[in-house]
């Protein structure tokens, strides 16, 4: 587990994001530090995906600031944000359905200037997900949900990100796959990549994370070390389905 | 109708067609091959235009109805280059003609690519998240605007240029005559097509285009500059239309402000025939239409004749839309597009 005192990699300060006139994020502040897995949990529609879309430049906040490695990226276009080192496996996976697994992985490395390590990185992804190696020439759109999820995570890794955003990586997967995905999330983190993890599966997420935030209708309702949140009565009742 | 009946009817139709083609061939082989060459040449010009429809459709799912008019304006600009800038006549020396034609081609392609990029920027970009009908209507409006620009700039009559590339015979293979003007079209078109295929299949820009066409948001998440990729696509499509304008002008020696409508419609049909969004498909569709036209107008044995050309081409389009809506080479995509 990572130490609390690492440098801040990503910070959101009082971020307000809208869809037209719908006020989806009403002042979200959070941070991710070097070495951490930070989880963002909350009910459907709380604004978890919107938070990630604010960070990655697909929905620019109207107010507030987002900083990455000390630099403000609030209004940067999405393609520039990837280039500065933030990659993601988005909600719904968003693979390129008519490209093969290998081509999808290639797209993951699209913005990288050095192409020499491409092969090495593909091998690393195949090592993490041997199933992808078997399916390398299959069209991504024809793979099973679990395989697509692996491909989406692998594609994000191909960017050699300095911060990884994962939106519900366990969505729709069989329990055995869920275990496996979380194992891999931990492994990626152990190899040095900080992760911001959005999850419905609060139990698994809080187990894997060092810190967590609970989002309720566009606001941060609770935050703290993951193990404190696990003990928190409100969290246990609402998100862990206990007592 | 059950699939087996359709299949049988389809096979019977193809068989009849084959008999008809072979019949015509045996009537007069050399005439047949000459007609075939005409079809190939016209098809190649249609193909250059059809690729523009298919490129833009592939990336924005938009039928750019103004595309035919970009072709026509490209041709009109080329006519000005030939008549006013270079002041060419049929007696101009071959060296001068080659240089002037190359320069005309470059200017017309540049003009059309910039025009097409500007159209996207001004008219379509803001409507990217609007309901599909909005950009479609805008495209129709844009088409009228461009036609009127052509009308104001070049007038209501045909603009004629001298026949710069002679229609005399360059060489003969057996009894098939290869004329200079047809040869020039084929020699210019096929390298362009090969280059385009390479660009889309193998280059970084091509990857960006394919990714954007499949999921623009996901492409942005990979670091693709989506706006720039779309601009590039319009630029490319416009450049091809400009080249088609020049080749058309050189081959037929006249052009008029409203010809983009007709040619555009044929090229659009070709793109749909081959499977809209599919590059090879656009080319196959265009060559098919070029050949149908040429056969129908040039052959004699049981041939309906030129009055029927349009009816045949569009009946084919309807048949394709009914029985194989994804086109000859289009694939049924997982998203069901
Ligand atoms: N494209 C959109 N247009 C309008 N409103 C949207 C759009 N996307 C999301 N919203 C709204 O913004 C709010 C936050 O949505 P968001 O997708 O961030 O929720 P979430 O926490 O990720 O939920 P889930 O767990 O279901 O994925 C919701 O009320 C949702 O209805
Ligand atoms: Mg979500």
């Amino acid at each position: 587990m990572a130490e609390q005192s690492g440098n801040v990699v990503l910070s959101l300060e009082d971020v307000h994001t809208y869809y037209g006139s719908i006020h989806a994020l009403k002042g979200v502040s959070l941070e991710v530090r070097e070495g951490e897995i930070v989880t963002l949990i909350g009910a459907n529609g709380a604004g978890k995906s919107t938070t990630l879309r604010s960070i990655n430049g697909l929905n620019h906040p109207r107010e507030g600031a987002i900083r990455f490695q000390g630099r403000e990226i609030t209004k940067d276009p999405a393609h520039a944000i990837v280039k500065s080192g933030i990659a993601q496996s988005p909600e719904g996976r968003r693979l390129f359905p008519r490209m093969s697994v290998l081509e999808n992985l290639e797209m993951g490395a699209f913005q990288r200037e050095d192409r020499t390590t491409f092969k090495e990185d593909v091998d690393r992804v195949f090592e993490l997900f041997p199933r992808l190696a078997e399916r390398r020439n299959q069209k991504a759109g024809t793979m099973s949900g679990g395989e697509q999820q692996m491909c989406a995570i692998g594609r994000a890794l191909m960017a050699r990100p300095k911060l990884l955003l994962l939106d519900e990586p366990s969505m729709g997967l069989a329990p055995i796959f869920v275990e496996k995905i979380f194992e891999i999330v931990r492994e990626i983190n152990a190899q040095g990549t900080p992760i911001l993890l959005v999850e419905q599966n609060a139990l698994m997420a809080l187990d894997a994370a060092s810190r967590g935030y609970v989002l309720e209708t566009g606001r941060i309702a609770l935050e703290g070390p993951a193990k404190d949140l696990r003990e928190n009565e409100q969290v246990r009742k609402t998100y862990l389905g206990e007592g | 109708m059950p699939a087996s009946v359709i299949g049988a009817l389809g096979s019977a139709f193809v068989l009849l067609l084959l008999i008809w083609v072979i019949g015509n061939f045996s009537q007069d082989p050399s005439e047949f091959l000459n007609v075939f060459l005409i079809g190939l040449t016209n098809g190649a010009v249609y193909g250059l235009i059809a690729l523009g429809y298919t490129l833009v459709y592939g990336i924005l799912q938009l039928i750019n109805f103004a595309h035919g008019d970009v072709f026509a304006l490209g041709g009109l600009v080329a006519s000005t280059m030939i008549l006013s800038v270079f002041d060419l006549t049929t007696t101009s020396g071959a060296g001068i003609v080659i240089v002037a034609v190359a320069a005309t081609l470059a200017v017309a392609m540049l003009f059309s690519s910039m025009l097409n990029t500007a159209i996207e920027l001004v008219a379509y970009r803001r409507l990217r998240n609007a309901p599909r009908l909005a950009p479609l209507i805008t495209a129709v409006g844009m088409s009228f605007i461009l036609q009127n620009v052509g009308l104001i700039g070049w007038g209501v009559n045909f603009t004629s240029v001298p026949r710069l590339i002679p229609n005399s015979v360059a060489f003969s293979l057996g009894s098939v005559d290869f004329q200079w003007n047809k040869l020039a079209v084929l020699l210019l078109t096929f390298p362009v097509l090969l280059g385009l295929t390479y660009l889309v299949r193998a280059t970084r820009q091509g990857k960006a285009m394919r990714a954007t066409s499949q999921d623009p948001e996901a492409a942005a998440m990979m670091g693709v500059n989506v706006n720039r990729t779309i601009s590039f696509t319009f630029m490319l499509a416009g450049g091809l239309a400009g080249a088609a304008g020049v080749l058309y002008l050189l081959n037929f020696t006249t052009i008029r402000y409203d010809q983009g409508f007709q040619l555009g419609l044929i090229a659009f049909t070709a793109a749909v025939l081959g499977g809209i969004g599919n590059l090879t498909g656009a080319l196959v569709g265009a060559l098919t239409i070029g050949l149908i036209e040429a056969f129908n107008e040039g052959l004699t044995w049981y041939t309906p004749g030129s009055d029927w050309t349009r009816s045949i081409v569009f009946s084919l389009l309807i048949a394709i839309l009914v029985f194989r809506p994804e086109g000859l080479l289009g694939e049924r995509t997982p998203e069901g597009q």
Side-chain angles (χ1 to χ4, degrees):
Chain A
M1 198 124 298
E3 75 277 32
Q4 281 281 62
S5 54
N7 287 331
V8 175
V9 178
L10 174 83
S11 70
L12 275 67
E13 285 157 34
D14 194 31
V15 164
H16 291 255
T17 303
Y18 294 74
Y19 292 101
S21 60
I22 298 169
H23 196 169
L25 296 187
K26 302 164 185 160
V28 170
S29 300
L30 60 78
E31 56 183 43
V32 179
R33 290 165 178 276
E34 212 69 73
E36 280 189 319
I37 297 180
V38 173
T39 186
L40 188 59
I41 56 179
N44 292 122
K48 306 181 296 293
S49 299
T50 306
T51 304
L52 296 191
R53 291 174 63 89
S54 303
I55 298 168
N56 69 24
L58 289 176
N59 280 80
H60 291 299
R62 253 183 234 175
E63 282 170 56
I66 301 176
R67 260 178 271 277
F68 178 61
Q69 297 185 318
R71 200 171 59 79
E72 175 152 3
I73 58 164
T74 320
K75 300 285 178 193
D76 283 7
H79 61 89
I81 289 173
V82 195
K83 199 161 169 97
S84 58
I86 302 179
Q88 63 208 302
S89 164
E91 181 167 47
R93 305 170 195 122
R94 307 295 288 268
L95 294 175
F96 300 107
R98 278 166 276 149
M99 290 189 191
S100 69
V101 169
L102 209 54
E103 286 173 309
N104 267 280
L105 295 181
E106 219 172 284
M107 283 312 299
F110 183 82
Q111 43 71 38
R112 274 175 45 193
E113 248 121 53
D114 74 294
R115 314 284 301 167
T116 49
T117 51
F118 177 76
K119 179 84 184 48
E120 210 173 287
D121 291 358
V122 171
D123 288 343
R124 175 171 169 239
V125 169
F126 285 165
E127 216 169 280
L128 285 173
F129 304 104
R131 178 69 72 98
L132 291 183
E134 294 164 26
R135 313 247 145 192
R136 68 182 80 198
N137 293 320
Q138 187 171 338
K139 293 260 185 292
T142 64
M143 294 200 300
S144 82
E147 290 164 345
Q148 289 192 19
Q149 191 65 62
M150 296 177 201
C151 189
I153 297 174
R155 184 178 66 173
L157 290 177
M158 291 299 296
R160 293 208 167 179
K162 300 186 193 104
L163 172 69
L164 183 60
L165 310 178
L166 299 176
D167 199 338
E168 305 202 24
S170 74
M171 171 99 134
L173 302 189
I176 179 153
F177 266 140
V178 175
E179 294 274 354
K180 175 89 183 134
I181 289 278
F182 274 96
E183 218 172 275
I184 286 167
V185 167
R186 282 200 186 87
E187 195 175 327
I188 292 165
N189 177 249
Q191 291 174 11
T193 311
I195 296 173
L196 179 56
L197 171 67
V198 164
E199 258 302 335
Q200 291 281 339
N201 193 331
L203 189 62
M204 297 288 286
L206 287 172
D207 266 349
S210 47
R211 287 189 307 114
Y213 294 84
V214 177
L215 202 55
E216 266 170 25
T217 57
R219 289 194 177 84
I220 303 284
L222 278 171
E223 61 177 281
K227 58 179 183 304
D228 293 1
L229 290 177
R230 275 215 62 174
E231 305 297 306
N232 183 294
E233 193 152 341
Q234 197 195 331
V235 173
R236 289 177 50 172
K237 235 160 92 181
T238 319
Y239 302 107
L240 303 177
E242 296 169 5
Chain B
M1 265 192 285
S4 57
V5 176
I6 294 173
L9 281 176
S11 309
F13 177 73
V14 171
L15 192 70
L16 277 177
L17 204 65
L18 217 60
I19 293 174
W20 176 76
V21 168
I22 293 171
N24 269 296
F25 179 76
S26 57
Q27 291 275 309
D28 186 348
S30 71
E31 182 55 23
F32 180 89
L33 289 173
N34 283 323
V35 168
F36 184 84
L37 201 60
I38 293 174
L40 217 55
T41 315
N42 292 348
V45 176
Y46 297 154
L48 288 175
I49 310 174
L51 281 168
Y53 279 102
T54 244
L55 279 167
V56 165
Y57 183 87
I59 211 146
L60 284 187
Q61 282 77 52
L62 166 74
I63 306 292
N64 180 13
F65 278 112
H67 189 70
D69 304 291
V70 172
F71 151 82
L73 282 179
L76 288 169
V77 165
S79 73
T80 300
M81 290 291 292
I82 290 169
L83 294 173
S84 307
V85 178
F86 294 114
D87 199 11
L88 295 179
T89 62
T90 35
T91 55
S92 304
I96 293 176
V97 166
I98 288 173
V99 171
V101 164
T104 301
L105 190 67
V107 169
M109 286 177 76
L110 193 70
F111 168 82
S112 297
S113 59
M114 276 167 35
L115 176 64
N116 214 28
T117 313
I119 290 172
E120 190 270 329
L121 209 64
V122 172
Y124 306 148
R125 183 158 294 187
R126 281 159 202 284
L127 298 174
R128 209 170 286 161
N129 296 315
R132 288 251 186 120
L133 201 54
L136 202 66
I137 302 281
T138 308
V140 173
M142 210 57 196
S143 166
F144 284 120
I145 292 174
L146 295 186
Q147 277 189 39
N148 280 292
V149 169
L151 179 62
I152 293 166
W154 285 269
V156 70
N157 295 316
F158 279 100
T159 307
S160 296
V161 299
R163 178 166 286 293
L164 296 174
I165 304 183
N167 48 6
S168 58
V169 176
F171 63 90
S172 296
L173 269 183
S175 54
V176 187
D177 299 332
F178 286 80
Q179 295 153 333
W180 283 110
N181 58 339
K182 302 214 162 38
L183 214 56
V185 170
L186 295 178
L187 284 181
L188 268 164
T189 311
F190 284 96
V192 167
L193 298 174
L194 285 180
L196 188 69
T197 310
Y198 172 78
L199 186 123
V200 172
R201 296 256 156 85
T203 67
R204 195 176 137 83
Q205 187 60 247
K207 271 177 210 143
M209 287 166 69
R210 281 163 57 212
T212 303
S213 88
Q214 293 181 35
D215 187 338
E217 247 183 23
M221 287 185 231
M222 301 299 115
V224 172
N225 186 337
V226 171
N227 280 338
R228 210 166 64 191
T229 304
I230 291 174
S231 288
F232 179 83
T233 306
F234 273 82
M235 197 183 88
L236 204 60
L240 295 174
V246 176
L247 293 180
Y248 181 86
L249 185 66
L250 291 177
N251 213 21
F252 295 100
T253 68
T254 62
I255 190 145
R256 196 171 64 180
Y257 73 99
D258 61 352
Q259 273 184 308
F261 179 73
Q262 252 188 50
L263 274 261
L265 205 57
I266 293 173
F268 168 62
T269 307
V272 174
L273 197 64
I276 187 118
N278 181 312
L279 295 183
T280 321
L283 198 60
V284 169
L287 292 178
T288 306
I289 290 182
L291 287 175
I292 289 176
E293 281 187 359
F295 281 169
N296 189 47
E297 290 168 14
L299 299 180
T300 46
W301 189 70
Y302 288 107
T303 301
S306 61
D307 288 350
W308 288 91
T309 302
R310 288 289 136 79
S311 312
I312 293 171
V313 167
F314 287 101
S315 304
L316 183 67
L317 176 69
I318 292 168
I320 286 283
L321 287 177
V322 171
F323 295 115
R324 205 180 149 79
E326 70 275 23
L328 293 174
L329 298 190
E331 47 184 323
R332 281 170 212 222
T333 56
E335 324 77 295
Q337 279 180 17

